Amino acid sequence: MPPDAIHPAPTDLLALAVSVAREAGALVARGQDRAGDHVGTKSSPVDVVTAVDSASEELLVGRLLAALPDDGVLGEEGASREGTSGVRWVVDPIDGTVNFLYGLPAYAVSVGAEVHGTVRAGAVLNVATGELFTATAGGGAWLSVGDEDARRLKVREPASLERTLVATGFGYRVGQRRAQGRVVAELLPRVRDIRRSGSAALDLCAVAAGRVDAYYELDLNPWDHAAGALVAAEAGAVVTGLRGAPVGVPMTVAVAPSVAGPFLELVTELHP
Ligand code: LIP
């Protein structure tokens, strides 16, 4: 999207997203060994939030609004501000909080920049590995680690549904999880296998990087998918909801085009 007179170019939005994600990532990394010191819960006893989640979001919001004070912000841990510029930042201070708590190397700072409701730039930083996934609308999806040059990402192209490796995730409420377990039981015999990483943002980036062929998850929040969905789409994935709904409402699907038809049909069938 060419920069218009009043909004920053997607590349400029991305530069800011990467800068604040890296700074928040350094804070998260410093806090990992004390992750369990201050843990609260949200929607259920297993939906945890740590003091590091909150500190990361505070840093992200502070840096973004210091740079662009007229922008809006939406964050997982409560940041919610209507801006006047048309740009809204959608941030997950730690996506994969349970992984962070347990020290499993799949937790990310995710920063997406919407312009009038459409994500135009996104950065997902896996804090544990240093992998930085980025994308701009029309500019492709990229992966870099540390100071190495970024490499362009492209989805894998599985030959069939039976050869499709599928990532998914589950909600935190018991009733949700029981229903989602039934869906996985039906899906598993019809695909290559299932992977459950614990971070939606990193699952979407895994589709982009060809590390899995498809991802689906119900009831994600905007901060879970804002940046990762752009990364997946810019790597060539079909990114959508079900039955023509937009991504995330309530289903998020990202899938390689070679199996998009049968995969979407299967996920639709399993979610009547
Ligand atoms: C997580 C999501 C993941 C989902 C987890 C959890 P959080 O977000 O990224 O896909 O399956 O249940 O919601 O809570 O770690 O930020």
Side-chain angles (χ1 to χ4, degrees), residues 3-186:
D4 55 33
I6 54 171
H7 299 121
T11 49
D12 293 336
L13 293 170
L14 181 63
L16 180 55
V18 168
S19 171
V20 300
R22 286 192 186 285
E23 196 172 345
L27 177 150
V28 171
R30 289 195 300 273
Q32 201 285 321
D33 58 354
R34 302 189 318 279
D37 290 3
H38 303 285
V39 182
T41 57
K42 296 184 290 188
S43 65
S44 83
V46 293
D47 182 4
V48 293
V49 55
T50 73
V52 182
D53 290 83
S54 304
S56 173
E57 182 158 305
E58 188 180 339
L59 184 153
L60 289 166
V61 172
R63 294 290 187 278
L64 289 166
L65 294 186
L68 295 168
D70 297 331
D71 288 4
V73 178
L74 176 67
E76 177 171 16
E77 305 316 337
S80 178
R81 178 184 190 271
E82 284 301 319
T84 56
S85 68
V87 176
R88 181 176 76 157
W89 296 90
V90 184
V91 302
D92 195 330
I94 303 179
D95 187 53
T97 299
V98 172
N99 290 344
F100 172 66
L101 194 58
Y102 279 73
L104 287 168
Y107 46 95
V109 175
S110 178
V111 181
E114 290 176 348
V115 178
H116 293 307
T118 302
V119 178
R120 295 293 187 193
V124 178
L125 173 65
N126 183 330
V127 176
T129 66
E131 292 176 312
L132 176 67
F133 300 88
T134 61
T136 53
W142 303 82
L143 168 61
S144 62
V145 182
D147 295 333
E148 76 176 28
D149 291 343
R151 66 179 176 87
R152 188 144 189 176
L153 297 178
K154 189 178 178 315
V155 297
R156 194 183 290 265
E157 293 283 1
S160 66
L161 194 58
E162 294 70 23
R163 295 291 178 275
T164 298
L165 186 60
V166 180
T168 191
F170 310 112
Y172 288 116
R173 292 189 300 275
V174 171
Q176 223 180 357
R177 296 165 73 76
R178 188 172 288 114
Q180 291 169 328
R182 280 195 290 268
V183 169
V184 172
E186 289 297 320

